[in-house]
Amino acid sequence: MKAARFYALVWLIASWFLPACMKEDPWQDRLPGNGDFSAGVLVVHEGNFGYGNASLSHYDPATGLLVNDVFFKRNGLPLGDVAQSVTVDDSLIYAVMNNSGKIMVMDRTDFRFVGKITGLTSPRYLHLINGEKAYVSDLYARSLAIVDPRTLDVTGRIDLAVEGSALPRHATEQMVQADRFVYVNCWSYDDQILIIDSESDRLVDSVRVGIQPNSMVLDRWNTLWVLCDGGFEGNAFGHGLPGLYRLEA
C-alpha cells in the first residue's frame, strides 16, 4: 500500500511539470499532398442541426482516393452548422451554411479558405449571375440577397414578402436561369415559382404550381420541370397530391 501511494504521488508531481515541457502543437495541413483537387466529386455532409459538424468530402474516381473533412484538414477551421448546398465556379467553392447564416468560400483546387459571406438569415442556395453578381435564396428572410462574388459583400436585397401572411412567404429555395430570367421555387408553405429579372433585380412575374415545389431543373430545350411534394397532413398551407409540372421558360 505504501509503495502504491508513493508511485501515485510521483505520478501526480510529474504531471504538474509535463504540460510545461510540452510544446503547443501548431495547426498543420492534414490533406494528403498539396496537389490539385479540382477534379473529382465533391460530397456535402450537412451534419447535425445545432452541432456545427458539417463537412465536405472529395472523391477522385481516377484514383479511387476518398478524403473526408477536406475543409477542416486544409484550414483547421470548422465549416459551420448545416451545409445546405455548394456552388462551384471556375476558381471558387461556395458552401452555404444554413443554420450558421453564412457562406464559406474556398479555393476550388485545394480548399484553402478565401473568406465568407455574412449578413444572411437562413441561406439555402447561391446562384451566380455573372462574375459581379450572385443571388442567395433564404428560408426565412422573405427576400433574395444580392451578393458581389468579388468582395463577398451583400450589396442589396430583392423584397419578396407577402404582406399579411402569417407564414414565411415567400421562402426561396433553388434557382435556375434562362437568359436574363431567374426562376426560383418557393418550397416552404407555398406554391409559387417566382420569376426574377436579373438585369433589374426585380420580381417580374410568378407561376402557381402544386403545393410545396421542392426541386426543379431546366432541360436543354429551356423547359422547366418542377417537382411538388404536396405538403403533409396538418400543413398550415394545405395538403395535396405530389405532382410534376412542365413550364416553358
Side-chain angles (χ1 to χ4, degrees):
M1 291 295 293
K2 290 183 179 179
R5 289 176 182 172
F6 172 76
Y7 287 120
L9 180 61
V10 171
W11 171 247
L12 180 61
I13 294 172
S15 66
W16 290 342
F17 291 97
L18 280 174
C21 299
M22 295 174 63
K23 295 182 179 179
E24 291 185 6
D25 181 21
W27 174 256
Q28 295 181 353
D29 193 328
R30 288 169 170 79
L31 276 186
N34 291 304
D36 187 341
F37 287 86
S38 58
V41 180
L42 194 62
V43 182
V44 183
H45 308 277
E46 67 175 18
N48 302 91
F49 182 85
Y51 282 77
N53 58 352
S55 64
L56 297 176
S57 296
H58 181 271
Y59 173 66
D60 188 347
T63 63
L65 179 64
L66 172 67
V67 184
N68 292 317
D69 218 0
V70 290
F71 181 78
F72 183 79
K73 287 178 178 177
R74 179 66 84 195
N75 301 286
L77 298 171
L79 194 58
D81 192 9
V82 184
Q84 171 63 31
S85 63
V86 160
T87 297
V88 182
D89 70 3
D90 292 336
S91 61
L92 297 174
I93 296 172
Y94 301 84
V96 181
M97 310 309 300
N98 173 246
N99 199 42
S100 294
K102 65 183 179 181
I103 299 175
M104 299 293 278
V105 186
M106 65 201 79
D107 189 279
R108 178 178 179 177
T109 62
D110 60 9
F111 307 112
R112 292 191 185 278
F113 178 67
V114 172
K116 59 185 176 180
I117 302 170
T118 59
L120 306 169
T121 303
S122 184
R124 303 289 286 179
Y125 293 86
L126 180 142
H127 173 73
L128 289 162
I129 305 296
N130 51 47
E132 302 176 359
K133 182 165 63 177
Y135 291 160
V136 179
S137 61
D138 202 288
L139 187 60
Y140 297 121
R142 305 193 188 194
S143 63
L144 287 177
I146 305 171
V147 171
D148 187 335
R150 300 166 300 179
T151 64
L152 306 182
D153 293 325
V154 176
T155 59
R157 299 184 188 274
I158 303 173
D159 183 20
L160 305 174
V162 176
E163 296 299 330
S165 175
L167 300 172
R169 300 181 66 200
H170 293 293
T172 50
E173 193 75 357
Q174 296 177 331
M175 294 167 282
V176 296
Q177 186 169 354
D179 299 321
R180 63 190 285 182
F181 298 105
V182 177
Y183 296 81
V184 188
N185 66 314
C186 301
W187 161 70
S188 181
Y189 302 112
D190 220 320
D191 59 1
Q192 299 288 314
I193 303 297
L194 306 181
I195 304 174
I196 309 295
D197 186 331
S198 65
E199 294 183 3
S200 62
D201 298 326
R202 293 189 306 110
L203 172 64
V204 295
D205 206 350
S206 63
V207 179
R208 184 179 181 183
V209 290
I211 294 177
Q212 294 197 170
N214 63 13
S215 54
M216 59 183 180
V217 66
L218 189 70
D219 68 21
R220 61 178 178 172
W221 295 284
N222 267 4
T223 297
L224 183 66
W225 298 89
V226 181
L227 183 65
C228 303
D229 62 33
F232 54 90
E233 291 186 13
N235 186 354
F237 188 75
H239 179 220
L241 293 174
L244 180 65
Y245 290 75
R246 179 176 179 269
L247 307 175
E248 293 301 326

